[in-house]
Amino acid sequence: MRLIGPLARGTRPEPTQPLRLPVPVIAVGSLSLGGTGKTPAVIAIAQRLVMQGKAVHVITRGTGAPMRVDEQAHSPAEIGDEPLLIAAFAPCWLGRDWGETARAAIAAGAEILLFDGGVPDPIAEGQISVLVEDAVQGFGNGFAWPLGPLKRKLIPGLAQADLLIAIGHEAACTRFRDQWHASLPCPLATGQLLPLPTGMDWDGLDVVAFAGINTPERFFATLRGLGANLIRAQALTDHQELTPALMTRLSREAQMAGAQLVTTEKDAVRLPRAFRENVISLPVRLELGDWAPLDALFA
């Protein structure tokens, strides 16, 4: 008999032997199937470690032999947008085999490995496991796919975590903390994706905004919060290709309205070269309300 719902195995793959590596490993993942803000969390953790003088390298899943991301030489079509974005903050590696890729990074000088993945399924022995969840969506109905939004049953999944980071606006984080904090088997940190000050005056600016991320509404709300006047808010599917035809249509619409084209930092790396100079990106960074639960993991 095939089980579904909370008794189902969800998307869990067959177990593999955890790697034994000579450097500390931090793995960042999610119980949820959709996007939760994992990439901003990886960047925030990497920046935090770099500020502490650590040589941290990020490992993410690829399709071939171990390869270090080169921002100048590689394109999103080759390696994806997220590795290119991460590589601006720390050395980033791609590879089909976690072990081979990790050893290549260590040979290149990595003192700490930050795995983009590997939670709730452990990759390495003794790894620090950080779960990243959307404070607004929470854990949904708590069911594993296909009846719910989770990769597996909630309680066993949480048991693997050393820290849970919930990301959302202040009210959502408060609701998440009130609902879950007392029953979590690990510390909880909450945070928001806040726009990075760039000197841009958004107040009253007419914009045509587009976003191909998991929750484009969050990006549009950030722009409105800065005072921008959204002539159009074009929500795209996550990682949707920014074709010349699509960008031409959006560019013409912006020109007719006398508006500025704006997109996310993640989408900006995928822009066709001919359109890059005409589009402003709004960078955001994850800011935790309290960094102590995260810092305690590295003490």
Side-chain angles (χ1 to χ4, degrees):
M1 180 177 66
R2 184 180 179 184
L3 297 176
I4 60 175
L7 298 181
R9 296 180 64 196
T11 61
R12 184 172 189 173
E14 292 300 318
T16 57
Q17 186 69 27
L19 300 170
R20 181 173 295 178
L21 297 170
V23 300
V25 171
I26 304 163
V28 182
S30 173
L31 282 180
S32 302
L33 290 169
T36 59
K38 185 163 59 69
T39 298
V42 168
I43 290 172
I45 294 172
Q47 287 187 296
R48 193 77 174 173
L49 291 169
V50 169
M51 288 173 58
Q52 296 172 4
K54 306 293 197 311
V56 56
H57 288 215
V58 179
I59 310 293
T60 189
R61 182 74 81 179
T63 57
M67 174 182 67
R68 181 168 173 171
V69 176
D70 185 333
E71 296 176 82
Q72 303 303 317
H74 292 134
S75 70
E78 294 175 297
I79 63 173
D81 48 15
E82 290 166 350
L84 277 175
L85 186 56
I86 293 170
F89 301 91
C92 183
W93 296 76
L94 296 170
R96 180 182 59 254
D97 184 276
W98 285 116
E100 289 182 5
T101 310
R103 285 184 278 273
I106 293 169
E111 298 174 340
I112 297 179
L113 295 178
L114 182 55
F115 279 85
D116 183 6
V119 182
D121 295 304
I123 291 176
E125 294 182 1
Q127 74 177 38
I128 295 172
S129 297
V130 179
L131 280 176
V132 181
E133 302 295 341
D134 188 315
V136 176
Q137 298 177 10
F139 298 113
N141 61 7
F143 282 69
W145 185 89
L147 294 185
L150 304 183
K151 298 173 183 176
R152 73 207 38 207
K153 290 184 290 185
L154 181 58
I155 300 305
L158 288 174
Q160 301 283 348
D162 296 296
L163 174 68
L164 190 150
I165 299 176
I167 301 177
H169 55 79
E170 186 174 353
C173 287
T174 299
R175 287 195 302 269
F176 188 96
R177 182 176 292 277
D178 290 344
Q179 183 176 1
W180 294 105
H181 190 208
S183 58
L184 289 176
C186 64
L188 171 65
T190 59
Q192 301 183 57
L193 295 177
L194 299 177
L196 195 65
T198 62
M200 181 73 182
D201 184 6
W202 296 98
D203 193 29
L205 180 66
D206 291 337
V207 302
V208 170
F210 61 97
I213 56 178
N214 186 65
T215 53
E217 296 79 11
R218 181 187 294 167
F219 173 65
F220 302 143
T222 298
L223 283 171
R224 292 188 181 98
L226 291 170
N229 177 32
L230 270 67
I231 302 298
R232 181 174 179 80
Q234 179 67 62
L236 308 173
T237 58
D238 199 6
H239 302 289
Q240 180 174 330
E241 183 181 1
L242 302 177
T243 63
L246 171 63
M247 292 308 305
T248 297
R249 176 171 64 81
L250 292 174
S251 295
R252 287 175 178 169
E253 186 170 351
Q255 287 178 342
M256 292 177 63
Q260 173 65 53
L261 276 173
V262 182
T263 193
T264 70
E265 192 175 21
K266 179 179 172 182
D267 288 303
V269 302
R270 300 187 293 113
L271 283 169
R273 189 174 300 276
F275 294 91
R276 291 179 185 173
E277 293 182 358
N278 301 321
V279 182
I280 294 177
S281 65
L282 175 63
V284 296
R285 296 290 178 266
L286 174 61
E287 286 295 333
L288 300 184
D290 182 4
W291 289 92
L294 181 64
D295 291 339
L297 298 178
F298 316 136

